[in-house]
Amino acid sequence: MIPFLDLKQINKVFSEELLAACKRVIDSGWYIGGAELLSFETAFADYCGVKHCVGVANGLDALVLTIRAWKELGKLTDGDEVIVPSNTYIASILAISENGLTPVLVEPNPSTYNLCPENTRQAITPRTKAILPVHLYGHLADMPAFMQIAEEYNLLVLEDSAQAHGASLHGKKAGSWGHASGFSFYPGKNLGALGDAGAITTNDDALADTLRALRNYGSQEKYKNLYKGVNSRLDEIQAAMLSVKLKYLDAQTAHRQLIASLYLSEIKNPEISLPGVDVSNQVWHLFVIRTKHRAALQHHLQEHGVQTLIHYPIAPHKQDAYKEFAHLQLPVSEQLHAEVLSLPIGPELSSEEARHIVSVCNSFSVKH
Ligand SMILES: *Cc1c(COP(=O)(O)O)cnc(C)c1O
């Protein structure tokens, strides 16, 4: 069986370096908020081409705390509307509702799967205060268009870069386009820790200061609390693991791109739609195809030794957690959620395995 993603194999490649980094932290006797965090934050800020990186406990916290910081700074307030794609992972939407703001679900472009700038313009009301574009599946959203819209309407832009470490357009990386960006380093992400971790990137000094306080009980100076903050830390061991893996991220991305170009050029089956992307700004966190016959195709792949997953099976507005959105008509999103299927793609997938996946896709047919 070709696994969807072989995390054990992915981390095994670096096991000596990871173990050495782990030992360094254990021997240091300093486990929270030390040199490893600072060193990773500096390296990741440089990598993204921004002034600040603020490490936090996970990707959801990165988004939640950024919106919270904007509230503390007086830039957002309860009830403000935030435009977010209707087909994203639930975390992007939770970050908005968690802060008492109103998510406005906007339809994506059905071919790129990313938030559509034209639909975004149409959704703007006097209450709209921010846009939260998601670089879904590793494909950079149309950031020049969103920054233009933001300037016209004086909106904040928070990128959800959880799936797009290193994706870039005109040499400008995910995490450096918006006023701030949230990253996840969940183990299965393109840059994955060996546990939970996340970060915010920004060029805004005041925002970075506020985030550093919020993640630490709202305190900048020990025992003095500026805000009712939270405990959201990126610990020393995870920071050390991430510093090791960051060095190899670009090579791993290049491998994902190689597999993707093979899929794009070799999968030829009228029942399968390939993602319509500009391959140059795509880091292929996921390779997502569409088909009207998803259950049958998934079964066919399984029968031929290929594990696939669905990202995501239920549209956010159809979730029980968001009954207030149940009445919304979002046909593009609903169709995508019914048709998408993710093929294996990862730094340890061999070209031989990829070719097998291609041939299994090409041998699929629908029995009438
Ligand atoms: C993974 C993910 C998150 C949340 O990250 P966690 O580290 O799991 O909290 C947010 N947004 C998107 C698009 C994601 O894929």
Side-chain angles (χ1 to χ4, degrees):
M1 177 66 71
I2 299 172
F4 181 72
L5 190 68
D6 192 346
L7 281 179
K8 185 172 162 181
Q9 192 54 37
I10 287 171
N11 288 317
K12 196 174 168 189
V13 177
F14 313 119
S15 67
E16 270 179 39
E17 262 188 279
L18 292 171
L19 282 167
C22 208
K23 183 172 179 350
R24 185 173 74 229
V25 177
I26 292 169
D27 293 348
S28 77
W30 194 280
Y31 308 116
I32 295 278
E36 297 290 345
L37 175 63
L38 198 61
S39 157
F40 173 70
E41 286 178 333
T42 307
F44 196 66
D46 282 354
Y47 180 81
C48 294
V50 295
K51 267 172 90 174
H52 305 283
C53 168
V54 181
V56 292
N58 55 65
L60 175 60
D61 278 5
L63 299 170
V64 170
L65 292 178
T66 303
I67 295 175
R68 173 77 192 280
W70 278 333
K71 288 180 78 180
E72 297 292 353
L73 290 165
K75 295 187 170 190
L76 293 176
T77 188
D78 287 352
D80 283 349
E81 292 177 1
V82 181
I83 290 173
V84 64
S86 53
N87 61 323
T88 182
Y89 180 58
I90 201 73
S92 326
I93 299 169
L94 286 171
I96 302 167
S97 53
E98 164 78 18
N99 275 294
L101 276 64
T102 305
V104 175
L105 308 186
V106 170
E107 291 270 65
N109 174 322
S111 149
T112 67
Y113 313 127
N114 266 341
L115 182 62
C116 167
E118 230 5 84
N119 294 343
T120 298
R121 258 177 208 284
Q122 282 164 19
I124 292 172
T125 75
R127 304 220 59 155
T128 307
K129 292 289 146 50
I131 313 176
L132 203 165
V134 180
H135 308 309
L136 199 66
Y137 309 146
H139 185 206
L140 201 84
D142 188 348
M143 292 312 295
F146 292 118
M147 296 318 290
Q148 171 68 35
I149 295 171
E151 200 173 292
E152 277 173 46
Y153 292 90
N154 194 26
L155 308 176
L156 292 165
V157 177
L158 172 55
E159 300 170 71
D160 183 338
S161 303
Q163 304 190 355
H165 318 73
S168 72
L169 177 65
H170 311 317
K172 208 169 144 56
K173 286 205 172 83
S176 72
W177 285 88
H179 301 103
S181 170
F183 283 91
S184 165
F185 307 116
Y186 181 78
K189 300 290 159 91
N190 285 29
L191 178 58
L194 278 68
D196 270 317
I200 302 100
T201 54
T202 184
N203 285 312
D204 183 335
D205 299 340
L207 178 66
D209 283 347
T210 308
L211 284 164
R212 289 196 176 99
L214 283 173
R215 72 175 174 184
N216 182 35
Y217 300 106
S219 169
Q220 270 160 350
E221 215 179 302
K222 209 166 188 181
Y223 305 127
K224 270 179 84 174
N225 298 82
L226 282 167
Y227 312 106
K228 298 183 188 83
V230 300
N231 171 356
S232 182
R233 295 158 171 158
L234 203 183
D235 65 69
E236 292 287 283
I237 293 231
Q238 293 308 333
M241 301 297 99
L242 288 166
S243 291
V244 169
K245 293 184 72 180
L246 179 59
K247 293 186 290 176
Y248 302 99
L249 177 61
D250 285 347
Q252 291 184 319
T253 298
H255 184 81
R256 289 175 187 270
Q257 287 166 336
L258 203 72
I259 301 290
S261 61
L262 185 83
Y263 287 162
L264 288 171
S265 62
E266 302 295 324
I267 296 177
K268 292 182 180 108
N269 186 329
E271 305 296 349
I272 296 174
S273 309
L274 297 169
V277 295
D278 176 351
V279 293
S280 61
N281 56 13
Q282 169 55 288
V283 294
W284 300 106
H285 173 58
L286 297 171
F287 191 93
V288 178
I289 60 170
R290 288 171 57 189
T291 173
K292 302 263 183 233
H293 312 282
R294 180 169 68 190
L297 177 60
Q298 188 167 33
H299 181 74
H300 175 78
L301 283 154
Q302 180 77 23
E303 293 278 283
H304 291 85
V306 181
Q307 187 192 13
T308 56
L309 295 178
I310 295 168
H311 299 91
Y312 300 90
I314 303 172
H317 68 291
K318 297 293 180 195
Q319 296 286 359
D320 287 344
Y322 283 109
K323 290 195 179 71
E324 63 270 40
F325 296 141
H327 68 284
L328 294 177
Q329 301 283 314
L330 297 163
V332 176
S333 189
E334 279 163 37
Q335 189 177 355
L336 286 175
H337 284 83
E339 295 184 359
V340 291
L341 185 68
S342 308
L343 301 180
I345 190 165
E348 294 310 311
L349 190 80
S350 70
S351 326
E352 194 186 10
E353 289 171 319
R355 273 192 214 97
H356 174 69
I357 293 166
V358 166
S359 76
V360 178
C361 284
N362 288 344
S363 70
F364 174 70
S365 69
V366 187
K367 293 164 199 94
H368 291 285

